[in-house]
Amino acid sequence: MEPSVVFFSGLTASDVWFLTEAAFRTLLISVLSISMGTAIGIFCGWLLYEGKIFATLTLAPILDVFRSVPLIIQLVLFYNMAPILGLNLDPFASGTVILTIYTAALVANVARGGFEAVGLPIRRAARSLGMTYFQDLRYVVLPIGGRAVFPAWIGVALGVMKDSALVSVLGYVELLKASQILITRTQQPFVVLAIAGAFYFALSYPVSRYAAKLEKRWAQ
């Protein structure tokens, strides 16, 4: 009697480790994109706040494009156009670039709201104390405005972390792509997706809890 051929196997410890490595990749591309995108977004928000009409006519429409066009379309277009532009980028690099720009576009409006949250009387008082324009920004506007828009920024950061799953369409093996690979092999979608969901929760929950602690500390 010939032995039966097994096409699918159950989930093993190595598969869970495979998902763990994919979770670290998700964390890596998220941290890089959120960090760089936040820095660029704050700068763009400052330009929108100070530039008034000029920034509204030039920078704002560009940011609107990245906010309005679905992220998956941006990823696919950039990844396929990069070689035409002479850029030899792998899926990780392409995904990081687009996620960074996408984050910057979202953070720009949040940052502008933070600048606008600091009233002119406070800024005039800072300048009357002898502060320069950039000292006023660093010691008055950023601390006060940052606290005002911190919850909104946390929402953007958590959203980008979940949106990083779309980089899987480029072939980057992050958490969602790893889950798809294991589902195809094991035919255990419920178990695999439950583990992947637990990893996403483990990545997101500490951020939201730490943010809540900071907000409570600032409120005191």
Side-chain angles (χ1 to χ4, degrees), residues 26 46 50-51 105 158 193 199 218:
T26 294
W46 173 72
E50 293 291 354
L158 293 177
L193 291 178
F199 274 119
W218 290 339

Side-chain angles (χ1 to χ4, degrees), residues 34-35 37-39 42 103 107 110 146 149-159 207:
I34 293 169
S35 301
T38 297
I42 292 173
T103 303
V107 171
V110 173
V149 299
F150 183 70
W153 177 82
I154 287 295
V156 170
L158 293 177
V207 176

Side-chain angles (χ1 to χ4, degrees), residues 135-217:
Q135 286 177 328
D136 171 33
L137 281 181
R138 179 180 177 183
Y139 296 109
V140 178
V141 178
L142 290 179
I144 297 176
R147 291 184 182 188
V149 299
F150 183 70
W153 177 82
I154 287 295
V156 170
L158 293 177
V160 171
M161 185 178 294
K162 289 180 285 187
D163 289 340
S164 66
L166 296 175
V167 183
S168 62
V169 301
L170 307 182
Y172 180 63
V173 186
E174 46 67 67
L175 200 48
L176 180 60
K177 185 69 173 180
S179 301
Q180 293 171 339
I181 293 172
L182 289 182
I183 289 173
T184 302
R185 187 178 66 76
T186 64
Q187 291 297 293
Q188 294 180 327
F190 180 79
V191 176
V192 173
L193 291 178
I195 296 174
F199 274 119
Y200 275 116
F201 177 78
L203 294 175
S204 303
Y205 185 71
V207 176
S208 60
R209 290 305 305 161
Y210 181 68
K213 278 189 175 183
L214 277 182
E215 288 183 63
K216 190 175 294 186
R217 186 185 305 170

Side-chain angles (χ1 to χ4, degrees), residues 45-149:
W46 173 72
L47 290 178
L48 290 174
Y49 174 71
E50 293 291 354
K52 305 300 181 183
I53 298 177
F54 178 75
T56 302
L57 295 177
T58 56
L59 181 60
I62 298 174
L63 296 176
D64 285 338
V65 169
F66 285 99
R67 279 197 300 266
S68 304
V69 176
L71 182 57
I72 191 170
I73 294 178
Q74 298 180 41
L75 289 166
V76 174
L77 282 178
F78 180 75
Y79 184 64
N80 287 281
M81 288 183 63
I84 301 175
L85 301 174
L87 301 174
N88 187 20
L89 301 178
D90 59 15
F92 172 77
S94 297
T96 302
V97 169
I98 292 302
L99 279 176
T100 297
I101 298 174
Y102 178 70
T103 303
L106 296 177
V107 171
N109 267 356
V110 173
R112 180 173 62 177
F115 287 113
E116 292 174 348
V118 183
L120 284 177
I122 297 178
R123 301 198 64 179
R124 287 171 182 161
R127 298 300 291 275
S128 67
L129 291 174
M131 288 187 179
T132 65
Y133 174 80
F134 289 105
Q135 286 177 328
D136 171 33
L137 281 181
R138 179 180 177 183
Y139 296 109
V140 178
V141 178
L142 290 179
I144 297 176
R147 291 184 182 188
V149 299

Side-chain angles (χ1 to χ4, degrees), residues 23-47:
F24 278 111
R25 295 192 192 99
T26 294
L27 181 62
L28 176 61
I29 196 171
S30 298
V31 169
L32 287 175
S33 303
I34 293 169
S35 301
M36 294 187 293
T38 297
I40 298 171
I42 292 173
F43 179 69
C44 291
W46 173 72
L47 290 178

